[in-house]
Amino acid sequence: MSLQTNGPLFENTFTTPETREVFGTKGFVDRFVRVEAALAIAEASVGMVPENAASTLAERASAEHVDMEAVERYLEQRGLLSMAIIEGWRENLGDEGRFVHWGSTSQDVIDTTVILQVRDALDVLLERLRTIERRLADHVEAHADTPMIGRTHHVHAIPTTFGLKAASWLEELGRQIDQLSRVRKDLSVCQFGGAIGTYATFGEDGPAIVDAFAAELGLEAPTIGWHAARDRIVRLIAALASVAGTLARAAKQVLLLGRPEVGELGDPVPEGEVGSSAMPHKRNPKRAETVVVLARLLRGEAQSMFSLMNTADERSASTWYGEFSVVPNAFGYADRCAETAHRLVDGLVVNPERMRANISIHGALVTSENVMMALADHVGRNMAHEIVYESAMGANSSEAFVDRLLHDDRVMQSLTPQEVASLTDPMSYTGLAERLARRTIEEHPRVG
C-alpha cells in the first residue's frame, strides 16, 4: 500500500481497524515474542533451556515488554528485523534473555509469527463473511417469488426471481467460506528447522521440540521445514482473491441493476452522504464500487504471491521479504471488501415494482422459449424454433408477437388461443425459480 493509505484520509478505504491491529507493529511484535517464548518452553521440555528461563520468557511474552526505541536503534545500525526485536525484548528479560532464539533461525520465528497473524485475521474475516451469508439468506427468503427479468449477454433473456439470483450469490459465498476454512486449517503449521531445516543445532531432540513448540501455539508440527516452500501462503492469498471475486460479482450486479434507467437494485446511501462536489443531486453507489475495486487490487496481490513462490536454494529473502507486503495488503483489501459488502447487502434496496416493469419492456417476447417448447411437442423442436423465431423477429412489440402467433396457421394447428395466452404470460414463466431459491436456503449448512 502507498504511504497515503497509512493516514486518516485513506486508511479505512483499503483496510479495517481489526486488520491494522493484527498486522501493525504492535501486533507483529506481540506475536513474535510469544513465538520465541513458546520455543523456549519447548526446548525446556527436553532440557535444552533452563525451565526458569523459559518461564520468565513466557511471563514477559508481550509487546509491552519490548523496548521499541531499542528495536529502532538496532534496525538502523544492523538492519536485521528479528535480532532488533530480540534486542529490544532482552532489555526487560535480565540474564534469562540469553536463552531467547536458542538454536533457531529468523525465518522459523517470523514465519510462525505470520501464521499466528493470518490465523487471527482469518477468524475476523470468516465471521464477516458468515454475517453476509446470513443477510443474503434473508434476501433469498424474502424474494424467492419476486419476478425479474433474467439477463444473458447483457440483454433480456427469460424471467427468473430475485430470490434465485441472490441464492446464486449465497451458494457461491458458502463455497468460498468452506474453502477459506480449509485453508485456515491447512496453514496452521509452525515453521521449524534451524538455519536450513536440518535440525543441526537441535540434534535428536529436534522432533520432540517441534512437536512441543507447535502444541504450545495451537499449531500443527510440519514434517519438515517449509522455508522455501511458499505454497501455503500462495493458496491463502489466492483464496482471499477468490472470496473478493465472489463479493465483487454481487456488487457488480448492484451497479448494473442500480442504474436509474434499470432501477431494480440500489446501493444504500446514508442520509447526509455527499456523492459529488460538482453535482449536488448525485447519490453514488460507493459501497458497491468499493467492493469491486478492492477485489481488483486483491487479484494483483495474488499475482505477486504467485511470482514470489519461485524460491532459490533453501531460503531466499527475494521471496520471503515480499510477503511482508503482500500478506498484510491482501488481508487489508479482503477485510475491507467484506466489511463493505456487508454494509451493501445489509442495506440493499430491492425494487420489485421496477423488476416487474422491466419484464414488461419486452412482455410476451421473453416467453418465446415457452411457446417454442409447447409447439415442439407437435412439430418438433427445430421447426418450432423456426416458427417462433419468425414471429419474434417480425414483431415490434409484445402485442404484435402474440398477434403474429395467433395468425400463424402452423401455431393454431397445434395450440389453442387460450394456450397461447397462457404461454405468453411472462410473470408466470419463472420455472422453478422460487422452489430452487428456497431449496438453497434449506440445504445450506449454516442458514437452512
Side-chain angles (χ1 to χ4, degrees):
M1 293 184 187
S2 70
L3 293 177
Q4 283 192 130
T5 63
N6 293 326
L9 294 179
F10 297 104
E11 65 181 8
N12 287 323
T13 300
F14 298 101
T15 185
T16 62
E18 294 87 346
T19 307
R20 287 197 299 277
E21 182 178 356
V22 171
F23 289 100
T25 298
K26 183 179 182 297
F28 184 88
V29 171
D30 194 74
R31 291 171 178 82
F32 182 98
V33 295
R34 281 168 47 199
V35 170
E36 289 283 12
L39 178 60
I41 291 171
E43 291 172 333
S45 71
V46 298
M48 185 173 285
V49 166
E51 289 188 4
N52 64 318
S55 297
T56 297
L57 268 57
E59 290 169 1
R60 301 179 187 177
S62 66
E64 66 185 48
H65 292 290
V66 179
D67 183 341
M68 292 306 299
E69 291 184 0
V71 173
E72 292 178 20
R73 285 195 303 271
Y74 191 96
L75 273 175
E76 186 176 348
Q77 295 167 5
R78 305 291 182 87
L80 185 59
L81 174 64
S82 59
M83 291 307 299
I85 298 174
I86 289 168
E87 286 301 313
W89 193 26
R90 279 177 178 159
E91 298 283 329
N92 295 303
L93 294 177
D95 288 343
E96 283 81 359
R98 61 197 173 98
F99 292 102
V100 175
H101 208 65
W102 197 262
S104 185
T105 191
S106 295
Q107 196 171 347
D108 284 343
V109 178
I110 291 178
D111 274 348
T112 305
T113 298
V114 171
I115 291 300
L116 295 184
Q117 288 181 301
V118 163
R119 186 176 63 177
D120 292 344
L122 280 175
D123 288 342
V124 173
L125 178 60
L126 283 165
E127 184 52 40
R128 288 201 202 281
L129 295 174
R130 294 184 187 109
T131 301
I132 297 171
E133 195 175 43
R134 292 189 290 270
R135 193 67 185 92
L136 278 176
D138 292 339
H139 287 299
V140 175
E141 180 67 33
H143 296 285
D145 60 350
T146 299
M148 68 179 298
I149 192 66
R151 296 169 173 90
T152 59
H153 305 281
H154 293 269
V155 297
H156 286 197
I158 63 174
T160 181
T161 69
F162 177 61
L164 186 57
K165 178 183 283 290
S168 173
W169 305 339
L170 173 63
E171 189 175 54
E172 183 177 340
L173 180 60
R175 291 192 296 272
Q176 297 284 18
I177 291 172
D178 291 342
Q179 173 183 254
L180 206 56
S181 298
R182 289 192 295 270
V183 168
R184 183 193 183 283
K185 179 178 182 297
D186 293 344
L187 63 73
S188 293
V189 178
C190 69
Q191 177 70 280
F192 190 82
I196 61 169
T198 63
Y199 290 12
T201 58
F202 305 108
E204 294 298 325
D205 289 325
I209 292 172
V210 69
D211 286 344
F213 177 50
E216 186 68 23
L217 295 169
L219 299 173
E220 295 294 321
T223 303
I224 58 175
W226 45 277
H227 298 116
R230 312 313 292 177
D231 57 293
R232 288 186 179 92
I233 308 299
V234 169
R235 185 181 171 205
L236 165 68
I237 307 304
L240 295 178
S242 184
V243 168
T246 292
L247 299 177
R249 179 169 81 89
K252 189 65 175 288
Q253 285 289 289
V254 175
L255 292 175
L256 292 173
L257 301 182
R259 294 172 181 267
E261 59 269 29
V262 180
E264 295 179 358
L265 296 178
D267 190 322
V269 180
E271 184 177 353
E273 183 175 281
V274 176
S276 168
S277 64
M279 296 168 284
H281 73 280
K282 290 291 292 297
R283 293 171 63 84
N284 294 337
K286 292 181 180 179
R287 279 139 294 277
E289 288 181 313
T290 297
V291 170
V292 171
V293 74
L294 288 169
R296 289 171 176 164
L297 292 172
L298 188 41
R299 284 194 290 274
E301 298 296 338
Q303 184 176 2
S304 295
M305 193 60 233
F306 273 104
S307 69
L308 288 172
M309 76 183 293
N310 298 322
T311 308
D313 303 320
E314 277 61 53
R315 285 197 290 145
S316 173
S318 64
T319 292
W320 184 41
Y321 277 27
E323 294 174 17
F324 295 156
S325 171
V326 169
V327 174
N329 286 354
F331 269 99
Y333 296 149
D335 199 40
R336 173 52 66 198
C337 185
E339 193 279 337
T340 306
H342 172 237
R343 286 188 285 126
L344 172 64
V345 171
D346 189 53
L348 184 65
V349 178
V350 182
N351 191 336
E353 291 74 24
R354 285 298 292 271
M355 291 177 176
R356 289 178 176 274
N358 288 337
I359 292 177
S360 300
I361 290 174
H362 293 112
L365 281 165
V366 298
T367 66
S368 64
E369 179 192 53
N370 200 24
V371 178
M372 178 188 71
M373 293 309 297
L375 191 58
D377 287 339
H378 303 277
V379 300
R381 203 257 187 211
N382 289 346
M383 177 58 71
H385 183 281
E386 186 66 25
I387 293 170
V388 178
Y389 176 82
E390 289 177 10
S391 292
M393 292 300 102
N396 57 12
S397 69
S398 173
E399 293 76 13
F401 174 59
V402 175
D403 188 61
R404 288 179 67 90
L405 291 173
L406 292 173
H407 287 84
D408 189 319
D409 291 340
R410 296 169 297 178
V411 175
M412 290 296 93
Q413 288 172 4
S414 303
L415 303 174
T416 66
Q418 292 77 18
E419 287 174 324
V420 171
S422 176
L423 292 167
T424 54
D425 176 10
M427 297 302 174
S428 64
Y429 189 50
T430 57
L432 301 181
E434 178 182 358
R435 186 191 305 178
L436 293 170
R438 299 193 189 284
R439 176 182 176 183
T440 303
I441 297 175
E442 291 166 2
E443 297 187 3
H444 197 285
R446 286 174 292 275
V447 300

